[in-house]
Amino acid sequence: MGIDTVISNGTLVWADRTRECDLAIDGEKIVAVGDRETFPSATEEIDASGNYVLPGLVDPHVHLECYYSQDSYESGTRAAALGGVTTCIAFAWQAWANDAPDSMSTFEEDGTLLEAIDRHKRRGEDALVDFGLHGGITRPDPAVYDELGDAVSEGVTSFKMFTTYEIGLSNGFLDKLFEEIAEHDGIAVLHTEDDDVCEARTERLKDQGRGDVEDYPGTRPAFAEAMAADDAVRMAREAGVQYYGFHTSCGAAGDVLADAQDDGTQIRAETCPHYLTLDQSAYETQGTLAMIAPPLRTQRDIEALFDHLERDTLSVISTDHTSFQKYKKEVDDWWDSTFGANSVQRSLPVFHDEAIVSRDYSYPFLVRLMCTRPAETFGLPNKGTLDPGTDADVVIFDPDATQTIRAADNESVSDYSIYEGREVVGQVETTLVRGSVVADGGEIKREPGYGNFIERECPDWEPL
């Protein structure tokens, strides 16, 4: 009896080792690793000579088809597939009504968390790669407490909250919400910046007419991120909830997280490739296209973030992929622009170039941060590894190919890139999702709808 596919002659990478061997796939699963001569005959063979064979990337921070992204699930996951991302976690936002002219809301009336989950499951029917959802809590409405159990039953086991913007939640509400999430063994996922500090500094610049984007980073300073992170992790530890900090941008916030990680079991966090490769000088060259929240920081912060990655303070690399076109970004005054940047198509080659090519980190280091740890953290036991019995999500990666990043090559609807013109070493050659080639040679090979909604487990975090 034969099998479907053998990937031969590559170097396989796990979170803790590499091995020159072959990989066998049957149906949607990895069935063996070892010598191809010991495998049953295969219908198809993929020659990975000279390349690394990685688990598919798991990106737990991707904005698709929502108030904060112009990408549909189809366009966003096409970009993901070309970037080697085989599983992403997007957001199901509670509808909130706000008719203010500068509101972020696209909703006419308030809605429930469960309605949001259903809405995004349906939107995701055109996905090319597998996807999960974070529940997005946008209002301080105690009624959401009664929805958490049903959300977890549907495989939505993590809940996103903000401490800033119009959908920011107060510490008083977060304190109780953390307790409720802990009761259901879920994960509290936070964007942490102190809203009072950010708003006051923004208003001062508006009053002074300082609309140049170079002034923007000063309105969302590193200490404001650290302040809010400190409040959040203190409440999380008191509530006994598993806490995950999004897009850590600075050494100060990393230090707060490190201080809270007494045993490594309850507090986890991520950073993103843009915080590891770009500093605030990008605002001088790119203008508002580089506007991200929290902002790009300093070279000193970049070094601090790599130190925190080495120490496991930060255990995941995500993208915070957000898709806008230039007309929404390029404005006269920075405060009229939008936050975020598209990057799910570029995260692997950019991080590879910085971490492995420039800084001499290992391939297991990369796989640990971009594949295995995010899968373990967010309850995806069949993802993020090349172990037999798990989903055959596989990336064939050329470590020596050189490419120049151009927005013209975007599969995202975004018509710009914060990495425009950047030459990087490393390129995704082939991406398989559950045993099927979805991208090869820079082209999409599957039709929309191949991706599945993945019901996630409630994880029980072990020490890192």
Side-chain angles (χ1 to χ4, degrees), residues 94 112-119 146-148 150-151 154:
Q94 279 180 320
T112 70
L113 182 62
L114 294 176
E115 288 170 346
I117 291 169
D118 179 67
R119 180 168 61 248
D146 295 329
E147 295 187 89
L148 297 175
D150 288 336
E154 292 191 33

Side-chain angles (χ1 to χ4, degrees), residues 247-316:
H247 47 47
T248 307
S249 73
C250 59
D255 292 343
V256 166
L257 294 162
D259 288 344
Q261 291 171 330
D262 289 345
D263 61 4
T265 60
Q266 188 169 303
I267 307 298
R268 295 192 180 186
E270 66 176 34
T271 190
C272 308
H274 44 262
Y275 295 125
L276 298 167
T277 58
L278 299 173
D279 63 27
Q280 58 195 28
S281 65
Y283 297 115
E284 300 173 12
T285 57
Q286 298 189 41
T288 51
L289 295 182
M291 270 189 58
I292 299 165
L296 299 171
R297 304 294 189 187
T298 67
Q299 189 62 41
R300 182 176 180 179
D301 285 302
I302 291 174
E303 300 307 319
L305 292 175
F306 269 105
D307 181 60
H308 282 300
L309 288 171
E310 291 181 24
R311 295 162 53 192
D312 283 328
T313 306
L314 306 175
S315 54
V316 171

Side-chain angles (χ1 to χ4, degrees), residues 4 17 51 59 139 249 253 292 301 311 367 386 419:
D4 291 330
R17 67 193 186 281
N51 294 333
D59 189 337
R139 308 190 314 275
S249 73
I292 299 165
D301 285 302
R311 295 162 53 192
V367 163
L386 298 179
Y419 303 115

Side-chain angles (χ1 to χ4, degrees), residues 140 162-164 167-177 235:
F162 287 88
T163 63
T164 188
I167 53 176
L169 301 176
S170 69
N171 280 354
F173 187 75
L174 287 174
D175 181 37
K176 175 61 174 172
L177 185 54
M235 289 187 292

Side-chain angles (χ1 to χ4, degrees), residues 330-369:
E330 293 183 325
V331 294
D332 292 333
D333 295 315
W334 62 262
W335 51 76
D336 292 324
S337 187
T338 55
F339 296 123
N342 67 93
S343 56
V344 73
Q345 189 173 332
R346 319 294 184 185
S347 60
L348 175 54
V350 167
F351 185 67
H352 172 268
D353 184 70
E354 180 67 27
I356 293 181
V357 177
S358 297
R359 294 176 180 265
D360 203 30
Y361 287 98
S362 70
Y363 283 90
F365 178 79
L366 180 151
V367 163
R368 189 160 58 248
L369 292 168

Side-chain angles (χ1 to χ4, degrees), residues 32-48:
V33 295
D35 186 343
R36 57 185 283 197
E37 299 302 323
T38 68
F39 299 161
S41 60
T43 302
E44 180 181 9
E45 182 168 334
I46 300 173
D47 185 1

Side-chain angles (χ1 to χ4, degrees), residues 14-15 55-56 58 366-377 383-385:
W14 286 265
V58 177
L366 180 151
V367 163
R368 189 160 58 248
L369 292 168
M370 304 190 87
C371 310
T372 308
R373 285 273 176 77
E376 292 174 346
T377 298
K383 304 294 187 181
T385 178

